[in-house]
Amino acid sequence: MGNMTSYLPQNEGILQYALLLASIASIGNSVQSYLTTSYTRRVYSAPETTVTPLHSRTFGTYTAVVSIIRLYAAYNITDPLLYQLALWTYVVALGHFYSEWLIFKTARWGEGLAGPLVVSVGSLTWMVLQWGHYVR
């Protein structure tokens, strides 16, 4: 079991582990989006909204790309470019989910939307506040 820690990010702090965890969870979400529309329908749950398999797979593909960026940032958290790219993934996610909820009305407040919004806001805030600690 001691060798398993050598696979984890090796810098100080815990933000890198949060990025790693978010990346792993996102990979699972991507796979699920290819297999079923159920999770995507929980996010885009407004009554008049139709979630198709194509929409779900597109969401899964976007989530996979974001996951890769966050994974690279977790292992290279002191790299300013990767840090910024990971930070921007949360900006884009936050903008997307808020606009689908408040502008386009395809999402409703509930468990399907709350998770992505809380993670986006929390991670974005954390990354902005910790910039000076990690990026040298």
Side-chain angles (χ1 to χ4, degrees), residues 3 16 29 37 42 48 54 63-64 66 89 95 105 113 123:
N3 287 341
Q16 62 196 343
N29 188 17
T37 61
R42 285 183 17 210
E48 64 281 350
L54 174 61
T63 304
V66 165
T89 66
K105 310 288 188 207
L113 183 61
S123 298

Side-chain angles (χ1 to χ4, degrees), residues 33 36-45 51 55-56 59:
S33 292
T36 180
T37 61
S38 65
Y39 175 76
T40 308
R41 274 188 276 132
R42 285 183 17 210
V43 174
Y44 305 100
S45 59
V51 175
H55 179 241
S56 189
F59 186 72

Side-chain angles (χ1 to χ4, degrees), residues 11 73-83 133-136:
N11 289 299
Y75 282 93
N76 300 281
I77 199 156
T78 60
D79 182 319
L81 180 59
L82 287 170
Y83 197 98
H133 176 75
Y134 289 102
V135 177
R136 296 168 179 75

Side-chain angles (χ1 to χ4, degrees), residues 18 65 75 80 88 104 127 136:
V65 171
Y75 282 93
W88 276 107
F104 303 114
M127 289 188 77
R136 296 168 179 75

